[in-house]
Amino acid sequence: MTINYATAALSAARRYCGWAVTPPETVTFTVDGPGGRILSLPTLRLTTLSTVVEDGVSLTVADLSVSANCGQVVKKSGECWTDTPGGIVVTMTHGFTTAPDFD
């Protein structure tokens, strides 16, 4: 059996981080509503926020402010997010094109 150490390291990093990291991927998932102003998505590299549905209502992405580097989303109106468990469905693209080189 041949071990591909790069593949094994990437797999370990993905498990540790809780998201794919690299390469970028488009995913749809359901999260609990935080009940506050900030919705934190499970990523540190958000490239595109495609859709957000809150309690069954599609939101206009242009009405949201997004931090690409920490996956935080706020409503420009200042309104709070729902506090409903599983109340938010998000489709987004996230991840790095290449893994950083730490030589």
Side-chain angles (χ1 to χ4, degrees):
M1 178 169 116
T2 303
I3 297 174
N4 182 323
Y5 291 103
T7 301
L10 181 56
S11 179
R14 287 176 171 164
R15 279 192 309 277
Y16 177 80
C17 294
W19 59 287
V21 183
T22 188
E25 66 178 3
T26 300
V27 294
T28 299
F29 56 90
T30 301
V31 296
D32 295 340
R37 291 194 62 237
I38 299 172
L39 172 64
S40 294
L41 301 175
T43 187
L44 293 178
R45 180 67 173 148
L46 178 60
T47 56
T48 305
L49 185 61
S50 302
T51 62
V52 178
V53 178
E54 180 181 29
D55 287 335
V57 177
S58 293
L59 303 182
T60 302
V61 174
D63 293 339
L64 306 172
S65 293
V66 179
S67 171
N69 294 326
C70 65
Q72 293 184 339
V73 183
V74 297
K75 296 177 182 179
K76 290 180 181 177
S77 66
E79 294 176 45
C80 290
W81 292 95
T82 184
D83 61 357
T84 304
I88 301 173
V89 179
V90 175
T91 300
M92 68 181 193
T93 302
H94 68 137
F96 292 91
T97 303
T98 60
D101 188 4
F102 293 106
D103 287 340

